[in-house]
Amino acid sequence: MKFSEFKYIRPDYLYLKSNFIDIVSKIEKAKSYNDQKSHIEEINKLRNDIESIKTIVSIRYGLNTKDKFYLDEKQYWDDYGPIYDELNSMFYKSIVNSKYKDEIEKDFGRQFLKICEYSIKAFSSDIISELQEENRLCSKYTKLLASAEIEYDGKLNNLSGVNAYFYKQDRKSREEASKKYYQYFEEHQFEFDNLFDELVKIRDCMSKKLGFEDFVELGYLRMMRTDYNEEMVKIFRNQILSDIVPLANDLYDMQARRLNLKSLDYIDENIEFSNGNASPKGDSEFIFNCAKKMYSELSNETKEFFKYIMDNELIDYENRSNKGAGGYCTYIPNQKAPFIFANFNSTLDDIDVLTHEAGHAFQLYMSRWIDCPDINFPTLDSCEIHSMSMEFITWPWMYLFFKEDTEKYKFSHLSTAIKFIPYGALVDEFQHEIYRNPNITNTERKNIWRNLERKYLPHRNYIGCDFLENGGWWYKQGHIFKNPFYYIDYALAQVCALEIWKKSRNKKTNYFEDYKNMCKAGGSKSFVEMIEIGNLNSPFEKNTIREVIDAVELYIENINEDIF
């Protein structure tokens, strides 16, 4: 079934609630585990119905934020999502209180039980109104980004369209486009500040109602971090400061030299080479023909997967007016269908987005055997390993997209991976600071951001842009508004992905079999368990980052920049 054929009918909440309560009662009263398991499977089918309908709305709203029907339906789910969460909480309590927990763990896994436990701690009917408002504000942020209409280069552009000019070889074009881009955020500064202030205060209110000191602990519970804590994350950030920031600084210095600049300004960061970045050698049809060949040659599983995605309209990549910003992959459980949402802009980012989101989608395709909605998608730290690793696994086929610029692309891709990790740590520490101090002013928040930039990204130079110099960069980072504490997951996963890159350069390793095994596990394992399946070293271990960085430094040392 193609995505355009997926049916959406708003559910009857009262009918579903009655049915849900009845099945939960049967779970609680079961006289044997087999009886209880049959009712768990029954309620999972019902929960998959709800999740599928909700996800279809989210996708179609993002495809056109001005579609009146799906705008209204998104509003419904913003309001009713937390009410459905209340039903889920009843189910989780029946699992946590089951006398057959050993059997449940054997069939569904320890991670499922931990998710049930954490979900109970993170929810109460007392916070439904706050959850509803949090949803509404997040939708408002999505719409604020999507509504941007920026006149540049003789046409109206959305944010993704203007962003494409950041990669232009001509410095004047980059400068003008950057000014136009950030002018939008500056002109709407009051709206962004107020949105975020409301989100911070609502999340703080929820945490207090649930008995937590602040939102940090609640945020970790919502992220389902079942086997590491805030202190371990802090140690990880410190390792980034000591081992990765110096290498990132060296890469920025190399970049400045290649561009014949004394130092990089913010308008220069996206351009790696004086003669221009690598870019795909064709349009979207060309890209997907190359991708089809790439995935057909990588493995039988990826060939089957990519054909499934393309045949069933499970990717939307066109950048157009009123479409939501960014890219993501989600899952519609009833159709067992991953869906990739993207905004192509004719830059190398198109290929990174394609392979990254395909990594998520491939994992979901490989773990379709899982019918329990809590564990078909992993926790976000684990699932980003799948996506970021796929970016490197597909390196041998990059010549299809970039032809004579292939080595340029590979160097840029690896360099960008290293440069990203300090930024991921910056976003994470910023959120810890913000939620530890929820009542500070908007100006103080921006000052915190700018000071952390100086710590993790000391090269940053905002000459000519007071808005960024005053700490406004983070307005465009949707995770900060919509997915608090998500971002360190990217940094953790990037270290794991770099280890897979390192293994992929040794043809004797079984890295791709390990990768597929991680994908097949879905969300049935925790982050630490997942990296064990993949035969990877934990990013929390002292020498992991250093060993990965040594391999990257060796690669860079052997690069002859003259070929660029």
Side-chain angles (χ1 to χ4, degrees):
M1 185 184 293
K2 298 180 187 299
F3 179 71
S4 58
E5 299 169 338
F6 288 9
K7 292 182 180 178
Y8 172 76
I9 300 174
R10 183 189 290 187
D12 181 335
Y13 171 73
L14 292 179
Y15 171 78
L16 281 175
K17 179 181 178 181
S18 175
N19 198 5
F20 207 101
I21 291 172
D22 180 56
I23 302 171
V24 168
S25 176
K26 291 175 181 176
I27 291 172
E28 292 172 339
K29 295 175 181 177
K31 300 297 184 183
S32 69
Y33 174 62
N34 284 338
D35 185 28
Q36 187 173 77
K37 183 182 178 183
S38 70
H39 296 309
I40 291 173
E41 290 170 346
E42 184 181 3
I43 207 165
N44 279 342
K45 185 179 184 307
L46 182 60
R47 294 198 301 143
N48 280 330
D49 290 343
I50 297 168
E51 187 63 28
S52 297
I53 295 168
K54 179 181 175 183
T55 303
I56 289 170
V57 167
S58 178
I59 294 168
R60 288 182 176 157
Y61 169 73
L63 294 177
N64 181 5
T65 59
K66 286 193 175 180
D67 184 307
K68 180 67 168 60
F69 177 81
Y70 284 107
L71 179 62
D72 290 344
E73 293 309 298
K74 183 67 168 66
Q75 181 65 59
Y76 167 82
W77 284 101
D78 284 349
D79 290 339
Y80 270 79
I83 298 174
Y84 284 103
D85 287 343
E86 186 175 29
L87 297 181
N88 270 328
S89 188
M90 294 168 51
F91 166 63
Y92 295 140
K93 287 174 183 175
S94 73
I95 296 298
V96 168
N97 295 324
S98 171
K99 59 185 177 182
Y100 305 112
K101 281 171 70 173
D102 289 344
E103 290 89 342
I104 292 174
E105 180 173 347
K106 183 178 179 182
D107 280 345
F108 294 90
R110 186 186 72 89
Q111 178 72 354
F112 171 66
L113 288 175
K114 295 296 289 185
I115 287 171
C116 293
E117 178 189 331
Y118 277 34
S119 297
I120 292 168
K121 290 180 180 178
F123 179 83
S124 163
S125 57
D126 293 339
I127 65 168
I128 286 178
S129 61
E130 285 83 5
L131 287 167
Q132 291 171 326
E133 183 62 16
E134 182 183 25
N135 287 341
R136 283 193 287 270
L137 290 169
C138 289
S139 294
K140 190 175 179 181
Y141 174 78
T142 297
K143 192 169 185 180
L144 184 58
L145 291 183
S147 65
E149 293 184 335
I150 301 169
E151 192 171 335
Y152 183 67
D153 198 21
K155 58 186 177 183
L156 279 180
N157 302 270
N158 61 13
L159 290 170
S160 295
V162 177
N163 184 266
Y165 291 91
F166 293 3
Y167 299 85
K168 293 292 183 182
Q169 192 174 339
D170 177 56
R171 197 168 192 270
K172 193 170 188 296
S173 293
R174 300 200 302 273
E175 183 177 13
E176 291 174 349
S178 295
K179 285 182 178 178
K180 288 280 188 178
Y181 183 91
Y182 290 110
Q183 185 180 342
Y184 177 80
F185 288 94
E186 187 168 16
E187 288 173 350
H188 293 83
Q189 190 167 187
F190 180 78
E191 293 168 80
F192 283 107
D193 275 339
N194 280 356
L195 256 175
F196 190 63
D197 187 65
E198 289 183 69
L199 281 166
V200 169
K201 287 182 167 58
I202 282 169
R203 288 164 180 157
D204 184 64
C205 177
M206 285 191 282
S207 64
K208 298 286 199 305
K209 281 190 174 184
L210 292 171
F212 301 115
E213 186 175 342
D214 53 44
F215 181 71
V216 176
E217 188 174 357
L218 175 57
Y220 272 58
L221 284 172
R222 286 179 17 163
M223 292 301 295
M224 299 295 160
R225 292 186 176 147
T226 59
D227 49 15
Y228 63 94
N229 56 32
E230 182 185 355
E231 187 58 34
M232 293 168 72
V233 170
K234 185 177 180 180
I235 291 169
F236 177 63
R237 290 200 308 262
N238 287 336
Q239 286 182 289
I240 290 170
L241 272 174
S242 62
D243 291 339
I244 297 183
V245 170
L247 175 56
N249 289 338
D250 289 343
L251 288 168
Y252 285 117
D253 288 342
M254 290 170 63
Q255 184 178 353
R257 288 196 298 273
R258 288 195 301 273
L259 298 176
N260 298 311
L261 299 170
K262 289 184 179 178
S263 62
L264 293 178
D265 286 352
Y266 74 99
I267 64 171
D268 302 313
E269 284 192 27
N270 291 302
I271 187 81
E272 286 279 353
F273 309 100
S274 60
N275 59 355
N277 283 0
S279 60
K281 303 304 179 184
D283 58 13
S284 297
E285 184 180 358
F286 165 81
I287 288 173
F288 281 100
N289 284 333
C290 293
K292 182 178 178 181
K293 178 176 172 60
M294 174 175 72
Y295 283 119
S296 68
E297 293 179 358
L298 175 55
S299 73
N300 289 332
E301 296 94 336
T302 54
K303 178 181 180 179
E304 178 187 276
F305 147 74
F306 199 71
K307 185 177 187 303
Y308 174 76
I309 290 290
M310 298 301 294
D311 287 350
N312 293 288
E313 301 173 349
L314 295 172
I315 181 168
D316 188 293
Y317 53 85
E318 182 185 353
N319 175 31
R320 56 184 177 270
S321 178
N322 301 315
K323 185 178 179 181
Y328 64 82
C329 175
T330 189
Y331 186 64
I332 306 160
N334 274 359
Q335 283 76 21
K336 295 190 177 295
F339 186 94
I340 297 173
F341 181 102
N343 281 281
F344 281 11
N345 60 9
S346 301
T347 70
L348 62 80
D349 280 354
D350 293 349
I351 310 306
D352 290 344
V353 169
L354 173 66
T355 55
H356 182 99
E357 302 305 340
H360 287 307
F362 180 65
Q363 173 266 300
L364 289 162
Y365 188 79
M366 294 293 282
S367 59
R368 289 173 301 161
W369 61 274
I370 299 174
D371 290 321
C372 179
D374 305 287
I375 54 173
N376 48 32
F377 216 141
T379 50
L380 297 173
D381 39 22
S382 295
C383 74
E384 294 304 342
I385 300 175
H386 305 122
S387 57
M388 289 177 156
S389 296
M390 181 62 84
E391 294 178 37
F392 289 112
I393 287 168
T394 53
W395 260 30
W397 289 270
M398 287 301 105
Y399 74 92
L400 295 171
F401 304 95
F402 295 103
K403 300 188 183 300
E404 71 274 10
D405 285 341
T406 300
E407 292 308 313
K408 247 188 180 184
Y409 167 77
K410 289 180 179 179
F411 180 85
S412 295
H413 183 221
L414 186 62
S415 176
T416 300
I418 294 298
K419 292 172 181 175
F420 166 78
I421 295 173
Y423 176 72
L426 154 61
V427 172
D428 185 65
E429 187 166 343
F430 174 69
Q431 293 184 101
H432 281 83
E433 289 288 329
I434 294 306
Y435 289 107
R436 290 273 187 238
N437 303 281
N439 297 313
I440 58 177
T441 66
N442 292 320
T443 298
E444 287 172 321
R445 288 186 185 121
K446 288 193 274 281
N447 287 339
I448 289 172
W449 176 267
R450 189 67 187 102
N451 286 331
L452 288 171
E453 278 187 316
R454 295 184 180 102
K455 176 179 177 179
Y456 288 102
L457 307 171
H459 71 284
R460 277 273 163 96
N461 183 346
Y462 293 131
I463 290 174
C465 187
D466 290 341
F467 170 71
L468 294 180
E469 182 58 40
N470 292 329
W473 178 281
W474 57 273
Y475 283 10
K476 67 179 187 177
Q477 189 61 67
H479 302 72
I480 292 175
F481 285 79
K482 299 194 291 184
N483 308 100
F485 295 106
Y486 184 160
Y487 223 66
I488 199 65
D489 300 57
Y490 288 112
L492 288 163
Q494 189 68 275
V495 172
C496 295
L498 286 167
E499 186 177 354
I500 287 179
W501 165 80
K502 177 183 172 183
K503 287 184 174 186
S504 72
R505 295 173 62 75
N506 178 357
K507 308 224 182 280
K508 294 179 181 177
T509 62
N510 292 320
Y511 75 95
F512 191 62
E513 288 302 314
D514 291 338
Y515 175 80
K516 287 192 293 184
N517 288 335
M518 285 193 292
C519 291
K520 289 173 187 174
S524 64
K525 303 296 180 182
S526 69
F527 175 72
V528 172
E529 290 171 331
M530 190 69 75
I531 59 180
E532 288 173 354
I533 290 172
N535 288 311
L536 300 171
N537 295 314
S538 170
F540 299 116
E541 293 176 4
K542 188 173 181 181
N543 294 323
T544 296
I545 289 180
R546 186 66 259 166
E547 289 174 0
V548 168
I549 293 305
D550 285 345
V552 174
E553 287 176 336
L554 182 62
Y555 178 89
I556 292 170
E557 285 172 8
N558 289 324
I559 288 287
N560 177 7
E561 289 187 80
D562 292 340
I563 68 172
F564 302 140

